[in-house]
Amino acid sequence: MSGSTSSLRQRHPRSSDEADSTTAIMEKETDSGSSDAKLTAGSSPVSKDTLGVKTKPVSSSGPKEHITYQKPFALILIIIAAFGFAFLLRGRSSRLPKTYALCSKEGNIYTVDAAHPRVECVVVHNSRILSVGSLAETRVRFGDAEKTGPAASTLTGRLRSLKNGLKFYFVEPGHIVVPGLADAHAHLIEHGFKRHLEVDNCSSVQDVITKVENYVTARPDVLNDKNIWIQGMGWDQTKWPSSEFPTAADLDSNILLRGRPIVLRRVDGHALWVSSRVLEDTNNLPESVDGGAIVRGDDGKPTGVFVDNAMALIKPPAWTEKEMLEYYLTAVKEALSYGLTSIHDAATLPDMISFLKKMADANQLPLRLYLMGFVESDEYWGDQIERFVNYGPAGRLTLRSVKLFMDGALGSWGAALLEPYTDVPDLRGFLLRSPEAMSQLAKRMWDDGFQVNIHCIGDWANNVVLDIFEDLLRGANVTDRRPRIEHAQIMVPADLERIGRLGVIPSVQPTHATNDMWYAERRLGSKRIKSAYAYKTLLEQSDQHILPLGSDFPVEGVNPLLGFYAAVARLSVDGESPHGDGGWFPEQRLTRAEALKGMTFDPAYASFNEDNLGSLTPGKLADFVVLDTDIMTVPASLILQAKVLATVVDWSTGVRKTASVTRRGPM
């Protein structure tokens, strides 16, 4: 981990530097065991050709053939050790070399390395990138196992895996390779929870009730026991005709649901909608809650919606470890299928941390997780969070940061604004802590060595937190500390400049812009909206030129291409916006190169791991994704049609990882 800003330049090593990198990687090679290992899924051997790349057998005897994926299914190659998924596959027995080249004759390998942004070949050895360059250069330097044999170089002599020359694999024409994709802000286990009972994409209260009713009738244990809690997530009143909060009475209107404990989270996780049974069982509700709201009717009684800090009054049963495992497996499988190799988990509770450590200990963590520890407490809780870096046998779990919350969300009128909401003039939203309390908490976390990441949506929240960070950064090296504002959604123009000048990292979610654009101006007004969701401005103001992109799933979809498309087009998936087909505030669109960097290098930097991840650069880990469409050049309307053919994490048989293959239907 570098504490120097020089790493931000992403310089491609010169020939002498590359030689040093090559030597360092080669020194990791051990003399024990075979240099080859079989790719297996279950008991069936898998050809590496199922990656969606072409290769020819080294042997000249017999017919030469290659095996490719079978459309319309995508084959996802996941490098893991003993991971408990069921996989379908198509292929023949083959051996994966310890050292190999992945090539595109069209030069469609996008490295996110400024010195060599597109190359024809990437050479991998022992999970690390050994070299990048043209096909011709690679053959001369390393030899070709099929065409030329070994190269006459000292390098070939030092690498036993090159004694017969390098094995080459080629992506199909039109396909591309990019670094492993990262989501800089998500909630992994919560996504699996949401999949359990999803109540989003509903156009009315009745649609939600119908989904809950169907859930109950499909589960005899729930149907026959009215004491089992029913929990789900995803409702969004801004998509309903009235745009008003729902009520407990709405749930009671359905005879099957009446009398059952039901808790439904709003899509953003900042409000709960509960049934009358839950209200009855929740005794002694306070008249008001600092940093939150108990929504009440004209009679002063709670209607069934609890916002922000008031949600803590509702106590559904904690998840069991069995439930957590189910949610985890669901979420991880989906994330990998969409090309995610790294996820920043934003607000990981202690029980989740313990669970994920168990997964890492058992080598059941097939992607990289960067955790932001969180405890629901008004007292200092940093001493409850264990810190670790590259934990587990695969080294894929890290916790060195904490997540704090300054305000709520715009959709539930909880984002803290300097001036009242335009559509509800008597509201300014909520600061979940006073500025003084947040300053004290952030300083304690800072002094204890945590990276401090704070949720801020409204301009008041962002203003307060920038004041706090400005104070903490006096005399500090910002590159050593890398404080983050999660969302950085609504800012006054002066704070757009200040966040860049201070070096505070804005971690943003482009799909929030394209989902909120239908009501955001109604909330904020025509003037304030111009400095909201200002991603291009944030990037341009950043001295480090860093803008990590995420999704906030399960609030938004897992597929990172949704965020890529939203960032470069500022349009809905249907190609629409309040400003027409040119995009919503199109001056805030990112270029495709900026968006790809925001999903690869920038999250690596924001998690102190840019020396190992984020670009296809010699010396870095060989995490990459193969796509069937060149998202960097096709018309924007075709970006979301792209399919992931391969998701590769730690591709190295030298450390005896096992490769598994899954086939997934069209996106």
Side-chain angles (χ1 to χ4, degrees):
M1 233 175 293
S2 171
S4 163
T5 56
S6 63
S7 60
L8 295 180
R9 299 170 189 160
Q10 306 175 73
R11 290 193 296 259
H12 185 78
R14 295 182 297 275
S15 56
S16 59
D17 295 331
E18 184 173 312
D20 292 340
S21 176
T22 301
T23 301
I25 296 170
M26 290 190 301
E27 287 173 350
K28 296 182 180 180
E29 182 175 1
T30 65
D31 293 328
S32 61
S34 168
S35 63
D36 295 331
K38 282 203 173 183
L39 293 174
T40 60
S43 60
S44 303
V46 182
S47 168
K48 182 165 171 288
D49 299 336
T50 55
L51 177 64
V53 300
K54 297 191 299 186
T55 181
K56 296 180 179 179
V58 176
S59 172
S60 60
S61 61
K64 294 186 178 182
E65 60 181 48
H66 69 267
I67 301 168
T68 59
Y69 60 91
Q70 182 178 5
K71 294 181 179 180
F73 299 103
L75 296 176
I76 313 302
L77 183 66
I78 306 162
I79 306 305
I80 61 175
F83 192 70
F85 289 150
F87 295 103
L88 298 175
L89 57 104
R90 177 176 180 264
R92 297 192 179 189
S93 178
S94 178
R95 288 191 176 271
L96 176 63
K98 177 185 291 186
T99 309
Y100 63 91
L102 178 65
C103 299
S104 164
K105 293 181 179 179
E106 299 172 306
N108 280 345
I109 299 177
Y110 292 89
T111 67
V112 192
D113 185 319
H116 297 276
R118 290 180 69 172
V119 298
E120 291 180 326
C121 291
V122 174
V123 179
V124 176
H125 175 73
N126 270 355
S127 293
R128 296 274 175 174
I129 297 169
L130 188 64
S131 174
V132 299
S134 70
L135 177 58
E137 291 168 343
T138 304
R139 279 181 168 146
V140 168
R141 186 177 185 195
F142 297 98
D144 185 322
E146 180 186 352
K147 294 183 177 296
T148 64
S153 68
T154 56
L155 178 64
T156 301
R158 295 180 66 185
L159 284 179
R160 291 184 298 106
S161 54
L162 289 179
K163 62 183 179 181
N164 295 319
L166 189 62
K167 182 79 170 182
F168 284 77
Y169 299 88
F170 296 87
V171 299
E172 298 278 0
H175 297 177
I176 69 169
V177 180
V178 297
L181 300 176
D183 192 313
H185 184 112
H187 307 275
L188 184 71
I189 296 176
E190 287 93 336
H191 179 73
F193 162 79
K194 182 188 175 187
R195 285 295 199 206
H196 186 64
L197 173 54
E198 296 180 273
V199 293
D200 52 4
N201 298 318
C202 293
S203 58
S204 66
V205 170
Q206 186 55 50
D207 284 352
V208 175
I209 292 172
T210 298
K211 283 195 172 188
V212 178
E213 181 182 23
N214 291 340
Y215 171 86
V216 172
T217 56
R219 291 163 176 78
D221 58 331
V222 179
L223 180 64
N224 297 321
D225 187 348
K226 297 189 73 170
N227 293 316
I228 293 179
W229 284 68
I230 299 167
Q231 299 186 64
M233 182 176 182
W235 61 271
D236 183 355
Q237 86 285 354
T238 68
K239 296 181 179 180
W240 304 341
S242 67
S243 296
E244 296 178 352
F245 277 141
T247 67
D250 292 326
L251 294 171
D252 292 344
S253 68
N254 183 286
I255 190 170
L256 182 67
L257 304 184
R258 191 178 306 152
R260 297 177 184 271
I262 302 172
V263 178
L264 303 176
R265 301 187 194 182
R266 194 181 183 277
V267 64
D268 55 21
H270 285 267
L272 298 178
W273 170 20
V274 305
S275 63
S276 294
R277 167 73 181 275
V278 174
L279 288 177
E280 292 164 4
D281 293 346
T282 305
N283 299 317
N284 302 319
L285 288 175
E287 286 300 312
S288 62
V289 177
D290 290 340
I294 302 170
V295 178
R296 299 179 183 273
D298 293 338
D299 59 2
K301 295 180 179 180
T303 63
V305 170
F306 295 75
V307 182
D308 288 318
N309 283 352
M311 296 190 300
L313 299 169
I314 306 301
K315 306 290 186 181
W319 295 336
T320 65
E321 190 159 299
K322 180 180 177 182
E323 288 173 327
M324 202 176 298
L325 177 62
E326 176 187 344
Y327 303 154
Y328 167 78
L329 293 176
T330 297
V332 165
K333 184 176 181 180
E334 187 172 351
L336 287 165
S337 76
Y338 284 120
L340 288 172
T341 61
S342 299
I343 294 172
H344 297 191
D345 197 65
T348 317
L349 296 167
D351 57 343
M352 295 179 183
I353 295 169
S354 297
F355 170 81
L356 291 170
K357 286 186 67 180
K358 290 179 182 178
M359 293 296 101
D361 285 335
N363 219 356
Q364 300 285 305
L365 199 62
L367 43 64
R368 307 184 195 283
L369 292 180
Y370 184 77
L371 309 182
M372 307 178 200
F374 173 68
V375 175
E376 295 183 15
S377 173
D378 291 333
E379 306 298 326
Y380 176 73
W381 44 263
D383 53 359
Q384 300 179 46
I385 300 298
E386 178 185 1
R387 280 172 283 186
F388 42 83
V389 175
N390 299 333
Y391 180 85
R396 295 181 185 147
L397 187 66
T398 292
L399 196 167
R400 57 176 298 172
S401 67
V402 292
K403 171 80 174 293
L404 309 179
F405 289 84
M406 193 68 244
D407 67 345
L410 188 68
S412 50
W413 293 278
L417 303 180
L418 290 165
E419 300 295 335
Y421 280 85
T422 301
D423 57 343
V424 186
D426 59 344
L427 284 182
R428 288 178 59 194
F430 311 110
L431 289 180
L432 304 187
R433 295 177 185 269
S434 70
E436 295 77 18
M438 177 59 81
S439 178
Q440 292 172 8
L441 180 60
K443 187 176 189 306
R444 289 274 318 261
M445 297 293 185
W446 185 279
D447 290 344
D448 280 352
F450 286 107
Q451 180 194 38
V452 179
N453 307 333
I454 306 181
H455 163 115
C456 300
I457 299 287
D459 53 9
W460 185 14
N462 278 289
N463 184 265
V464 167
V465 168
L466 284 174
D467 286 346
I468 293 170
F469 280 146
E470 188 164 14
D471 182 58
L472 291 173
L473 284 166
R474 288 191 177 94
N477 183 334
V478 69
T479 308
D480 291 340
R481 305 309 303 261
R482 305 187 192 187
R484 294 167 54 162
I485 289 184
E486 302 299 316
H487 307 303
Q489 201 158 293
I490 305 158
M491 291 189 175
V492 296
D495 282 342
L496 287 173
E497 181 276 331
R498 181 163 62 141
I499 190 173
R501 172 169 47 82
L502 293 176
V504 175
I505 298 171
S507 173
V508 302
Q509 300 75 42
T511 46
H512 281 353
T514 53
N515 278 331
D516 294 359
M517 64 185 175
W518 304 106
Y519 68 87
E521 188 165 351
R522 187 166 67 249
R523 291 274 196 280
L524 301 174
S526 59
K527 179 180 179 181
R528 194 162 36 185
I529 194 65
K530 292 179 181 177
S531 57
Y533 310 91
Y535 305 142
K536 187 75 168 186
T537 300
L538 286 169
L539 182 61
E540 291 175 340
Q541 293 291 340
S542 169
D543 285 347
Q544 303 104 325
H545 207 66
I546 294 292
L547 186 71
L549 305 183
S551 67
D552 204 11
F553 72 71
V555 178
E556 310 285 358
V558 176
N559 184 358
L561 293 184
L562 290 168
F564 183 87
Y565 169 77
V568 303
R570 303 275 291 198
L571 294 168
S572 70
V573 295
D574 299 322
E576 300 176 348
S577 84
H579 296 166
D581 58 11
W584 189 53
F585 294 103
E587 66 275 11
Q588 295 298 338
R589 291 180 301 194
L590 303 182
T591 68
R592 299 192 196 198
E594 290 168 343
L596 183 60
K597 178 172 173 286
M599 299 167 66
T600 52
F601 182 86
D602 293 357
Y605 177 83
S607 57
F608 299 90
N609 214 8
E610 72 276 12
D611 288 344
N612 290 302
L613 300 172
S615 63
L616 300 178
T617 300
K620 293 192 179 185
L621 289 164
D623 292 1
F624 60 85
V625 178
V626 180
L627 297 167
D628 73 347
T629 301
D630 189 348
I631 60 171
M632 306 300 287
T633 60
V634 297
S637 60
L638 299 181
I639 289 172
L640 294 179
Q641 295 182 23
K643 296 177 176 61
V644 173
L645 302 178
T647 300
V648 178
V649 181
D650 277 343
W651 190 359
S652 169
T653 59
V655 291
R656 302 188 183 280
K657 303 268 192 296
T658 302
S660 298
V661 180
T662 185
R663 182 181 299 167
R664 186 173 57 80
M667 295 181 186

